[in-house]
Amino acid sequence: MAMVGECIVGTFFASLLGFVLLYILRLWTVKHRRKDHFYGNGGESGYEFRSDNINGECRPDKNSDADVIIVGAGVAGAALAHTLGKDGRRVHVVERDLTEPDRIVGELLQPGGYLKLVELGLEDCVEKIDAQSVLGYALFKDGRNTKLSYPLEKFHSDVSGRSFHNGRFIQRMREKAAALPNVQLEQGTVTALLEENGTIKGVQYKTKTGEELKAYAPLTIVCDGCFSNLRRSLCKPMVDVPSCFVGLVLENCPLPFPNHGHVILADPSPILFYPISSTEVRCLVDVPGKKLPSLANGEMADYLKTVVAPQIPLMLHDAFIAAIDKGNIKTMPNRSMPAAPYPTPGALLMGDAFNMRHPLTGGGMTVALSDIVVLRDLLKPLQDLHDGDSLCRYLESFYTLRKPVASTINTLAGALYKVFCASPDQVRKEMREACFDYLSLGGACSTGPVALLSGLNPRPLSLVLHFFAVAIFGVGRLLLPFPSPKRLWIGARLILGASGIIFPIIKAEGVRQMFFPVTVPAYYRAPPAK
């Protein structure tokens, strides 16, 4: 009964906060009712949209090298190349290395990301790579566990998360893009963006043989990943590295909950397990900070065996030790970076080159694929991309239209990571415990947060409501059955601590763009007039 009472209290306060925010949003919406839609039919803006396309395909100017140059052919670049190529654009992709990548992240596609993959016509890229269906998560803490299933009841039976070898997935998308006659996929290293009078005209790159070449297009899209060397000229990068992942592969090891990701709330930070093939399980050990134990002198193996191994489920212990002894340990810094682009005529940033979040929640590919859908829809009405200034002003709406989905996933990743990390602070301990117990309640307390995590319902307001519902639930746990001054003080600090976690992330993402995008002038931007 006490647990039910706590849930009711949390739900009441969360609902009250929700009504207030919805009322404010309604006022803003009425005040700034949009006059026309960016797919509109003229309206008050005076724009008339005509299509000279044949069967939905654009007819590009044959005098230029390409309509679009894409730098990078990772998940974002390859998916974008196929999407624009399918729409009839002539696309030139320059990728540093076309061999199959070997990475320890980008291996879990959430159900929301899979739906975007279907929308882009790329769902067959998760076939024939031994991809595994993922139906939810299992959460472990101090010997207890709870299963959190994705809310997939309203979707087709094929809709679920997918986990796989990242390199296999990327190669499938590259092959599909390269199969289009108007997509040129070339191996080369882009060394510079070509600029003329403030407008990006193309790229300078070095081929596989060392030849220096230049390529020109009215639009250059930079998707060269988290280690991008081109982003500085197109955005203000504020990269944070809160931790590093240490990656292992466990072989022939059944998981406690088949077809689920596993999150162990360990000390000092979470440990992840999920299948990447029918015989392999990926383990990612989060190590806070930028400095890792040395791989070369055995410090890392010792750390994994003495600190990490005792905290993982017994069912996985022997396979974990065997993976350490095998020695194929990989590491990667976990980076987060809010999107802060400079609108630049002739150029656009996408993917991890422009926006990153902690990979704990596996939301990166969902954000990238969602962004591609937004950009595809914006570019569809345009036959000519050569007016750089007008195109730049129009594409400013991309940064606004993507915000609610991208910012929700980004904020959730950053907030969950901070909550899931162990801390000696009593308030952080209470928040972590409250989060586990809140998710364990089931019902809306489980399906709501999991719908956010999965990308099936990435709504900023829902995120804030559930986050503070967890905090209020934590306060209720402290005050029942009898409050004391000490417990009241800890409860007050818990609310303040929760605010201190989520509000700085929201501020970095942009409050107005995230919650009230319809109030941003760029939201209404129409395609350039002919």
Side-chain angles (χ1 to χ4, degrees):
M1 290 297 293
M3 187 71 74
V4 173
E6 294 166 14
C7 192
I8 291 173
V9 171
T11 303
F12 170 78
F13 283 106
S15 300
L16 182 62
L17 177 61
F19 282 126
V20 172
L21 291 175
L22 284 172
Y23 179 71
I24 295 171
L25 177 61
R26 177 63 180 163
L27 290 179
W28 275 103
T29 303
V30 171
K31 183 178 178 181
H32 297 273
R33 189 180 303 277
R34 60 190 307 169
K35 297 176 182 178
D36 55 76
H37 192 275
F38 62 81
Y39 291 133
N41 297 310
E44 294 181 29
S45 65
Y47 290 109
E48 180 182 356
F49 306 118
R50 302 187 307 273
S51 177
D52 296 323
N53 298 350
I54 299 175
N55 297 326
E57 293 188 352
C58 300
R59 295 158 64 183
D61 178 7
K62 299 185 186 304
N63 295 324
S64 61
D65 292 346
D67 295 306
V68 181
I69 292 171
I70 298 175
V71 181
V75 171
L80 182 62
H82 176 268
T83 300
L84 297 184
K86 194 171 64 171
D87 280 354
R89 307 285 182 189
R90 290 182 297 152
V91 182
H92 182 186
V93 185
V94 183
E95 161 60 36
R96 183 182 59 83
D97 186 357
L98 287 174
T99 59
E100 184 174 309
D102 183 13
R103 303 182 67 205
I104 64 171
V105 293
E107 298 174 315
L108 177 61
L109 180 66
Q110 297 286 2
Y114 178 77
L115 289 173
K116 295 300 179 183
L117 207 65
V118 172
E119 193 172 345
L120 295 170
L122 289 165
E123 67 273 19
D124 57 344
C125 292
V126 295
E127 298 172 2
K128 300 178 181 178
I129 61 172
D130 199 15
Q132 304 297 298
S133 291
V134 179
L135 304 176
Y137 281 86
L139 203 59
F140 293 75
K141 184 180 186 297
D142 299 332
R144 298 175 292 154
N145 65 72
T146 185
K147 188 171 77 168
L148 311 171
S149 297
Y150 292 138
L152 300 173
E153 297 81 9
K154 298 179 181 179
F155 298 94
H156 187 274
S157 59
D158 188 54
V159 176
S160 68
R162 294 292 194 281
S163 53
F164 39 68
H165 281 268
N166 172 268
R168 296 176 188 173
F169 179 55
I170 287 175
Q171 290 301 89
R172 287 279 287 149
M173 288 202 293
R174 288 174 177 175
E175 290 165 7
K176 191 155 185 177
L180 296 172
N182 49 329
V183 175
Q184 177 192 357
L185 194 59
E186 182 179 7
Q187 183 162 309
T189 302
V190 174
T191 55
L193 300 174
L194 301 176
E195 183 180 340
E196 183 180 310
N197 298 324
T199 299
I200 303 299
K201 297 293 186 180
V203 298
Q204 179 174 306
Y205 66 101
K206 186 179 291 187
T207 67
K208 188 177 180 181
T209 59
E211 184 181 6
E212 291 274 3
L213 296 177
K214 294 179 180 180
Y216 296 90
L219 180 61
T220 298
I221 303 177
V222 176
C223 306
D224 57 344
C226 61
F227 300 105
S228 172
N229 60 353
L230 300 175
R231 66 161 66 103
R232 289 190 175 277
S233 57
L234 300 175
C235 77
K236 183 181 179 181
M238 295 175 286
V239 180
D240 181 36
V241 184
S243 65
C244 294
F245 267 157
V246 179
L248 301 162
V249 174
L250 281 58
E251 298 178 344
N252 301 308
C253 172
L255 288 165
F257 295 89
N259 299 108
H260 282 68
H262 293 58
V263 182
I264 290 85
L265 301 188
D267 187 355
S269 52
I271 306 164
L272 308 180
F273 293 91
Y274 52 87
I276 55 173
S277 76
S278 55
T279 60
E280 298 165 299
V281 169
R282 167 66 69 194
C283 171
L284 293 174
V285 178
D286 185 85
V287 180
K290 301 177 184 180
K291 185 175 176 57
L292 288 169
S294 172
L295 280 167
N297 64 14
E299 285 181 2
M300 177 63 77
D302 183 63
Y303 174 83
L304 294 174
K305 288 182 177 180
T306 59
V307 177
V308 179
Q311 302 186 70
I312 67 174
L314 190 60
M315 188 174 177
L316 302 173
H317 184 272
D318 290 347
F320 182 76
I321 296 297
I324 298 170
D325 290 338
K326 191 173 181 180
N328 188 23
I329 302 172
K330 297 181 180 296
T331 64
M332 184 170 182
N334 294 324
R335 295 165 175 247
S336 61
M337 183 182 80
Y342 302 133
T344 305
L348 197 69
L349 272 169
M350 288 195 73
D352 284 349
F354 132 85
N355 185 204
M356 294 179 282
R357 76 290 310 148
H358 195 285
L360 171 71
T361 58
M365 289 189 289
T366 301
V367 172
L369 295 170
S370 176
D371 286 353
I372 290 168
V373 171
V374 172
L375 183 61
R376 176 201 65 183
D377 293 344
L378 284 172
L379 291 179
K380 265 187 176 177
L382 302 181
Q383 180 185 354
D384 184 12
L385 304 177
H386 283 82
D387 187 346
D389 290 332
S390 297
L391 181 63
C392 178
R393 284 193 296 274
Y394 171 55
L395 289 183
E396 282 183 38
S397 60
F398 165 75
Y399 299 120
T400 302
L401 293 169
R402 70 177 293 274
K403 269 292 181 179
V405 171
S407 294
T408 299
I409 294 173
N410 294 344
T411 304
L412 179 64
L416 265 188
Y417 177 70
K418 290 185 177 181
V419 171
F420 281 179
C421 283
S423 171
D425 181 56
Q426 182 65 28
V427 169
R428 294 288 292 272
K429 286 181 180 178
E430 291 291 342
M431 189 71 178
R432 194 187 200 205
E433 187 72 26
C435 187
F436 182 89
D437 288 346
Y438 180 85
L439 293 172
S440 300
L441 289 173
C445 298
S446 168
T447 57
V450 175
L452 289 163
L453 178 71
S454 63
L456 294 171
N457 182 32
R459 297 181 180 178
L461 183 59
S462 179
L463 168 62
V464 172
L465 291 178
H466 279 289
F467 191 81
F468 279 101
V470 170
I472 294 166
F473 175 78
V475 173
R477 290 171 69 255
L478 283 167
L479 300 186
L480 294 175
F482 300 108
S484 67
K486 180 180 179 181
R487 288 172 175 264
L488 284 168
W489 173 239
I490 294 175
R493 287 179 58 212
L494 197 154
I495 296 294
L496 289 174
S499 302
I501 288 173
I502 197 168
F503 286 148
I505 303 173
I506 291 175
K507 181 181 178 183
E509 290 289 333
V511 176
R512 186 180 178 190
Q513 292 90 340
M514 186 171 172
F515 290 95
F516 312 111
V518 295
T519 70
V520 180
Y523 185 81
Y524 309 98
R525 207 61 54 81
K530 297 295 180 186

